Amino acid sequence: PDIMNVRWLVADEKQYEQNKGHFGDRYPVVFRGANEVVLENRQVLPKAWLVSQVKVESDQLQRLKQMQDPSFDPSRTALAESAPPLALTSAPKPGEVRLEWYEGERLSLSATVAANSLLVLGEKYHKGWKAFVDGRTVEIVPVNHILRGVYLTPGKHTVEFRFDPLPFKIGKWLTLGSFALFGVVALREWWLRRRDNVGTA
């Protein structure tokens, strides 16, 4: 929940009472309803953050195992499938990220970067997403098994993610083409009927 930006959890009250020992102090109850409780995750990470430490682990099971280790701190270290394309040096505060715009198929962030870093976005990795840093296309890398990220150099940057996969494009143009064809057929039918009515008058 921390890396996916999940701050509120809703649980069935009976189930929560049976398992509340597992939650400990990390997820305190902030609201009780008729049959549900709302828990707050007070260690949730922001929508995006910078890390200057990347551990390379190509094995999926090993990545999951490392993420379950209590010593793993996703706010400082990221797990990636391949080596970073630039040299990273451990920085206590690699910089700051601010979310500027967020909608279903596009989001924009501004980043002030102090040292070579990996910007981690707390959203699921999918090949249909494209990333742009200061208007230039950059590679999106899978991070922490399910998230996506882009590498940044020092300075101020505008980072944009857009969702525009090929199947979506094909579906969109097929739909528009179908509407256009329907319009042409309907217009032709109207014109033929009008011509026949004029001819019989």
Side-chain angles (χ1 to χ4, degrees), residues 106 114 118 182 193:
R106 176 180 167 264
L118 175 63
F182 175 78
R193 286 185 182 181

Side-chain angles (χ1 to χ4, degrees), residues 15-27 39:
Q15 196 172 27
Y16 169 73
E17 290 297 332
Q18 292 173 356
N19 298 291
K20 65 180 180 181
H22 298 292
F23 291 98
D25 298 330
R26 183 171 175 180
Y27 299 98
L39 313 174

Side-chain angles (χ1 to χ4, degrees), residues 52-118:
S52 58
Q53 297 178 29
V54 173
K55 289 185 178 179
V56 179
E57 181 52 72
S58 58
D59 184 80
Q60 174 180 329
L61 293 177
Q62 286 300 317
R63 283 198 306 273
L64 290 172
K65 186 176 179 181
Q66 290 184 45
M67 289 176 65
Q68 293 171 354
D69 188 321
S71 65
F72 175 68
D73 182 359
S75 69
R76 298 177 60 85
T77 305
L79 294 175
E81 298 177 10
S82 57
L86 41 80
L88 299 178
T89 55
S90 180
K93 190 170 177 58
E96 295 180 352
V97 182
R98 187 173 68 187
L99 182 64
E100 301 289 352
W101 180 268
Y102 184 91
E103 58 184 24
E105 296 173 358
R106 176 180 167 264
L107 61 95
S108 179
L109 309 111
S110 60
T112 303
V113 186
N116 288 344
S117 306
L118 175 63

Side-chain angles (χ1 to χ4, degrees), residues 169-189:
K169 287 181 179 178
I170 293 172
K172 179 173 69 176
W173 288 112
L174 284 175
T175 301
L176 291 173
S178 298
F179 280 129
L181 181 61
F182 175 78
V184 169
V185 170
L187 186 62
R188 181 178 179 274
E189 188 68 25

